[in-house]
Coordinates of all heavy atoms in Angstrom, one line a residue:
R1 N -205.5 15.6 5.4 CA -204.9 16.7 6.1 C -205.0 16.6 7.6 O -206.1 16.3 8.1 CB -205.4 18.1 5.7 CG -205.3 18.3 4.2 CD -205.8 19.7 3.8 NE -205.8 19.9 2.4 CZ -206.0 21.0 1.7 NH1 -206.2 22.1 2.5 NH2 -205.9 21.1 0.4
Q2 N -203.9 16.9 8.4 CA -204.0 17.0 9.8 C -203.7 18.4 10.2 O -202.7 18.9 9.8 CB -203.0 16.0 10.5 CG -203.0 16.1 12.0 CD -202.0 15.2 12.6 OE1 -201.6 14.1 12.1 NE2 -201.4 15.6 13.8
F3 N -204.6 19.0 11.0 CA -204.5 20.4 11.2 C -203.9 20.7 12.6 O -203.1 21.7 12.7 CB -205.8 21.1 11.1 CG -206.3 21.1 9.7 CD1 -207.4 20.3 9.3 CD2 -205.8 21.9 8.7 CE1 -207.8 20.3 8.0 CE2 -206.2 22.0 7.4 CZ -207.2 21.1 7.1
T4 N -204.2 20.0 13.6 CA -203.7 20.3 14.9 C -202.6 19.2 15.2 O -202.7 18.1 14.8 CB -204.7 20.2 16.0 OG1 -205.4 18.9 16.0 CG2 -205.8 21.3 15.8
H5 N -201.6 19.6 16.0 CA -200.4 18.8 16.1 C -199.8 18.8 17.5 O -198.8 18.2 17.8 CB -199.3 19.2 15.2 CG -199.6 19.1 13.7 ND1 -199.2 18.0 13.0 CD2 -200.3 19.9 12.9 CE1 -199.7 18.1 11.7 NE2 -200.3 19.3 11.7
G6 N -200.4 19.5 18.5 CA -199.8 19.6 19.8 C -200.1 18.4 20.7 O -200.8 17.5 20.4
A7 N -199.4 18.5 21.9 CA -199.6 17.4 22.9 C -200.8 17.8 23.8 O -200.7 18.0 25.0 CB -198.3 17.3 23.7
W8 N -201.9 17.9 23.1 CA -203.2 18.1 23.7 C -204.3 17.6 22.8 O -204.0 17.3 21.7 CB -203.4 19.6 24.0 CG -203.1 20.5 22.8 CD1 -203.9 20.7 21.7 CD2 -201.9 21.3 22.6 NE1 -203.3 21.5 20.8 CE2 -202.1 21.9 21.3 CE3 -200.7 21.5 23.3 CZ2 -201.1 22.7 20.8 CZ3 -199.8 22.3 22.7 CH2 -200.0 22.9 21.5
H9 N -205.5 17.6 23.3 CA -206.6 17.1 22.5 C -207.3 18.3 21.8 O -207.5 19.4 22.3 CB -207.7 16.4 23.4 CG -207.2 15.2 24.1 ND1 -206.7 14.1 23.3 CD2 -207.1 14.8 25.4 CE1 -206.3 13.1 24.1 NE2 -206.6 13.5 25.4
S10 N -207.7 18.0 20.6 CA -208.6 18.9 19.8 C -209.6 18.1 19.0 O -209.3 17.1 18.4 CB -207.7 19.7 18.8 OG -206.7 20.4 19.4
H11 N -210.9 18.5 19.1 CA -211.9 17.7 18.4 C -213.2 18.5 18.2 O -213.2 19.7 18.3 CB -212.2 16.4 19.2 CG -212.8 16.7 20.6 ND1 -214.1 17.0 20.8 CD2 -212.2 16.6 21.8 CE1 -214.3 17.1 22.1 NE2 -213.2 16.9 22.8
S12 N -214.2 17.8 17.8 CA -215.5 18.4 17.5 C -215.5 19.5 16.4 O -216.0 20.6 16.6 CB -216.2 18.9 18.7 OG -216.3 17.9 19.7
P13 N -214.8 19.2 15.2 CA -214.8 20.2 14.2 C -216.1 20.5 13.6 O -216.9 19.5 13.3 CB -213.8 19.6 13.2 CG -213.9 18.2 13.3 CD -214.1 18.0 14.8
E14 N -216.4 21.7 13.4 CA -217.7 22.2 12.7 C -217.4 23.2 11.6 O -216.7 24.1 11.8 CB -218.6 22.8 13.8 CG -219.2 21.8 14.8 CD -220.3 20.9 14.2 OE1 -220.8 21.3 13.2 OE2 -220.6 19.9 14.9
W15 N -218.0 23.0 10.5 CA -217.8 23.9 9.3 C -218.7 25.1 9.5 O -219.8 25.1 9.9 CB -218.2 23.2 8.0 CG -217.3 22.0 7.7 CD1 -217.6 20.7 7.9 CD2 -216.1 22.1 6.9 NE1 -216.5 19.9 7.4 CE2 -215.7 20.7 6.8 CE3 -215.4 23.1 6.3 CZ2 -214.5 20.4 6.1 CZ3 -214.2 22.8 5.7 CH2 -213.8 21.5 5.5
S16 N -218.1 26.2 9.0 CA -218.9 27.4 8.9 C -219.9 27.3 7.8 O -219.7 26.4 6.9 CB -218.0 28.6 8.7 OG -217.3 28.5 7.4
P17 N -221.0 28.0 7.8 CA -222.0 27.8 6.7 C -221.5 28.0 5.3 O -221.9 27.4 4.4 CB -223.0 28.9 7.1 CG -222.9 29.0 8.6 CD -221.5 28.9 8.9
D18 N -220.4 28.9 5.2 CA -219.9 29.1 3.8 C -218.7 28.1 3.5 O -218.1 28.2 2.5 CB -219.4 30.5 3.6 CG -218.3 31.0 4.6 OD1 -217.8 30.1 5.4 OD2 -218.0 32.1 4.6
G19 N -218.3 27.3 4.5 CA -217.3 26.3 4.2 C -215.9 26.8 4.3 O -215.0 26.1 3.9
T20 N -215.7 28.0 4.7 CA -214.3 28.6 4.7 C -213.6 28.4 6.0 O -212.4 28.6 6.1 CB -214.4 30.1 4.3 OG1 -215.1 30.8 5.4 CG2 -215.0 30.3 3.0
E21 N -214.3 28.1 7.1 CA -213.7 28.0 8.4 C -214.1 26.7 9.1 O -215.2 26.1 8.8 CB -214.1 29.2 9.3 CG -213.5 30.5 8.8 CD -213.8 31.6 9.8 OE1 -213.0 31.8 10.7 OE2 -214.9 32.2 9.7
L22 N -213.3 26.3 10.1 CA -213.6 25.3 11.0 C -213.6 25.8 12.5 O -212.8 26.6 12.8 CB -212.7 24.1 11.0 CG -212.8 23.1 9.8 CD1 -211.7 22.2 9.8 CD2 -214.2 22.4 9.9
L23 N -214.6 25.4 13.2 CA -214.7 25.7 14.6 C -214.5 24.4 15.4 O -215.0 23.4 15.0 CB -216.2 26.3 14.9 CG -216.5 26.8 16.3 CD1 -215.8 28.0 16.6 CD2 -218.0 27.0 16.4
F24 N -213.7 24.5 16.4 CA -213.4 23.2 17.2 C -213.1 23.6 18.6 O -213.0 24.7 19.0 CB -212.2 22.5 16.5 CG -210.9 23.2 16.6 CD1 -209.9 22.9 17.5 CD2 -210.6 24.2 15.7 CE1 -208.7 23.6 17.5 CE2 -209.4 24.9 15.7 CZ -208.5 24.6 16.6
E25 N -213.0 22.5 19.4 CA -212.7 22.7 20.8 C -211.4 22.0 21.1 O -211.0 21.0 20.5 CB -213.8 22.2 21.8 CG -214.1 20.7 21.7 CD -215.1 20.3 22.8 OE1 -214.8 20.4 24.0 OE2 -216.3 20.0 22.4
T26 N -210.6 22.6 22.1 CA -209.3 22.1 22.4 C -209.0 22.5 23.8 O -209.5 23.4 24.4 CB -208.2 22.7 21.4 OG1 -206.9 22.2 21.8 CG2 -208.2 24.2 21.5
N27 N -208.1 21.6 24.4 CA -207.6 21.9 25.8 C -206.2 22.3 25.8 O -205.4 22.2 26.8 CB -207.9 20.7 26.7 CG -207.1 19.5 26.3 OD1 -206.4 19.5 25.3 ND2 -207.1 18.5 27.2
Q28 N -205.7 22.9 24.7 CA -204.3 23.3 24.6 C -203.9 24.4 25.6 O -202.7 24.5 25.9 CB -204.0 23.8 23.2 CG -204.5 25.1 22.8 CD -204.1 25.5 21.4 OE1 -204.5 24.8 20.4 NE2 -203.4 26.6 21.3
D29 N -204.8 25.1 26.1 CA -204.5 26.1 27.1 C -204.8 25.7 28.5 O -204.9 26.5 29.5 CB -205.2 27.4 26.8 CG -204.8 28.0 25.5 OD1 -203.6 28.3 25.4 OD2 -205.6 28.1 24.6
G30 N -205.0 24.4 28.7 CA -205.2 23.8 30.1 C -206.7 23.7 30.4 O -207.0 23.0 31.5
V31 N -207.6 24.2 29.6 CA -209.0 24.1 29.9 C -209.7 24.1 28.5 O -209.1 24.6 27.5 CB -209.5 25.3 30.7 CG1 -209.4 26.6 30.0 CG2 -211.0 25.1 31.1
W32 N -210.8 23.4 28.4 CA -211.5 23.3 27.1 C -212.1 24.6 26.7 O -212.9 25.2 27.4 CB -212.6 22.2 27.2 CG -212.0 20.8 27.3 CD1 -211.9 20.1 28.4 CD2 -211.6 20.0 26.2 NE1 -211.4 18.9 28.1 CE2 -211.1 18.8 26.8 CE3 -211.4 20.2 24.9 CZ2 -210.6 17.8 26.0 CZ3 -210.9 19.2 24.1 CH2 -210.5 18.0 24.7
E33 N -211.6 25.1 25.5 CA -212.1 26.3 24.9 C -212.4 26.1 23.4 O -211.9 25.2 22.8 CB -211.1 27.4 25.1 CG -210.7 27.7 26.6 CD -211.7 28.4 27.4 OE1 -212.8 28.7 26.8 OE2 -211.5 28.8 28.5
L34 N -213.1 27.1 22.9 CA -213.4 27.1 21.4 C -212.4 27.9 20.6 O -211.9 29.0 21.1 CB -214.8 27.7 21.2 CG -215.9 27.0 21.9 CD1 -217.3 27.6 21.4 CD2 -216.0 25.5 21.6
Y35 N -212.0 27.4 19.5 CA -211.1 28.1 18.5 C -211.8 28.0 17.2 O -212.6 27.2 16.9 CB -209.8 27.4 18.4 CG -208.8 27.8 19.5 CD1 -209.0 27.4 20.8 CD2 -207.6 28.5 19.2 CE1 -208.1 27.7 21.8 CE2 -206.7 28.8 20.2 CZ -206.9 28.4 21.5 OH -206.0 28.8 22.5
R36 N -211.4 29.0 16.3 CA -211.8 29.0 14.9 C -210.6 29.2 14.0 O -209.6 29.8 14.5 CB -212.9 30.1 14.6 CG -212.3 31.5 14.7 CD -213.3 32.6 14.6 NE -214.0 32.6 13.3 CZ -214.8 33.7 12.9 NH1 -215.0 34.7 13.7 NH2 -215.3 33.7 11.7
S37 N -210.7 28.7 12.8 CA -209.6 28.9 11.9 C -210.0 28.8 10.5 O -210.9 28.0 10.1 CB -208.5 27.8 12.1 OG -207.5 28.0 11.1
P38 N -209.4 29.6 9.6 CA -209.7 29.4 8.1 C -209.2 28.0 7.7 O -208.2 27.5 8.2 CB -208.8 30.5 7.5 CG -208.6 31.5 8.5 CD -208.5 30.7 9.8
F39 N -210.0 27.4 6.9 CA -209.7 26.0 6.5 C -208.4 26.0 5.6 O -207.6 25.1 5.7 CB -210.9 25.4 5.8 CG -210.6 24.0 5.2 CD1 -210.4 22.9 6.1 CD2 -210.6 23.8 3.8 CE1 -210.2 21.7 5.6 CE2 -210.3 22.5 3.3 CZ -210.1 21.4 4.2
S40 N -208.3 27.0 4.7 CA -207.2 26.9 3.7 C -205.9 27.3 4.3 O -204.8 26.8 3.8 CB -207.6 27.9 2.6 OG -207.7 29.2 3.0
T41 N -205.8 28.1 5.3 CA -204.5 28.6 5.8 C -204.2 28.1 7.2 O -203.1 28.1 7.6 CB -204.4 30.1 5.8 OG1 -205.5 30.6 6.6 CG2 -204.5 30.7 4.4
W42 N -205.2 27.7 7.9 CA -205.1 27.2 9.3 C -204.3 28.1 10.2 O -203.1 27.9 10.5 CB -204.6 25.8 9.3 CG -204.9 25.1 10.6 CD1 -204.1 24.9 11.7 CD2 -206.2 24.7 11.0 NE1 -204.9 24.3 12.7 CE2 -206.2 24.2 12.4 CE3 -207.5 24.7 10.4 CZ2 -207.3 23.7 13.0 CZ3 -208.6 24.2 11.1 CH2 -208.5 23.7 12.4
K43 N -205.0 29.1 10.7 CA -204.4 30.0 11.7 C -205.4 30.2 12.8 O -206.3 31.1 12.8 CB -204.1 31.4 11.1 CG -203.0 31.3 10.0 CD -202.7 32.7 9.4 CE -201.6 32.6 8.3 NZ -201.4 33.9 7.7
P44 N -205.4 29.2 13.8 CA -206.5 29.2 14.8 C -206.5 30.5 15.7 O -205.4 31.0 16.0 CB -206.1 28.0 15.7 CG -205.3 27.2 14.8 CD -204.5 28.1 13.9
R45 N -207.7 30.9 16.1 CA -207.8 32.0 17.0 C -208.8 31.6 18.1 O -209.9 31.1 17.8 CB -208.4 33.2 16.2 CG -208.6 34.4 17.0 CD -208.7 35.7 16.1 NE -209.8 35.6 15.1 CZ -211.0 36.0 15.3 NH1 -211.4 36.6 16.4 NH2 -211.9 35.9 14.3
R46 N -208.4 31.9 19.3 CA -209.2 31.5 20.5 C -210.5 32.4 20.6 O -210.4 33.6 20.4 CB -208.4 31.7 21.7 CG -209.0 31.2 23.0 CD -208.0 31.1 24.1 NE -208.7 30.7 25.4 CZ -208.0 30.5 26.5 NH1 -206.7 30.6 26.5 NH2 -208.6 30.1 27.6

């Protein structure tokens, strides 16, 4: 599965302890920030 698709970098995925979410960093907003998303539905939140 590929989760991010934009013309920017996203990396350093980390699993939540219960395995339901991924935490990652991305520069999609012009600066490197942290996002989290449910693994099953993939709806990132800054």
Side-chain angles (χ1 to χ4, degrees):
R1 304 184 183 190
Q2 180 182 327
F3 293 107
T4 58
H5 296 263
W8 50 75
H9 293 303
S10 301
H11 63 77
S12 301
E14 291 285 342
W15 294 94
S16 61
D18 63 5
T20 63
E21 294 186 88
L22 281 173
L23 185 67
F24 64 101
E25 62 176 291
T26 178
N27 64 353
Q28 72 179 60
D29 296 298
V31 64
W32 289 99
E33 302 286 3
L34 300 184
Y35 277 68
R36 70 188 291 191
S37 175
F39 178 67
S40 60
T41 58
W42 200 255
K43 296 179 180 179
R45 180 160 56 94
R46 187 171 177 172

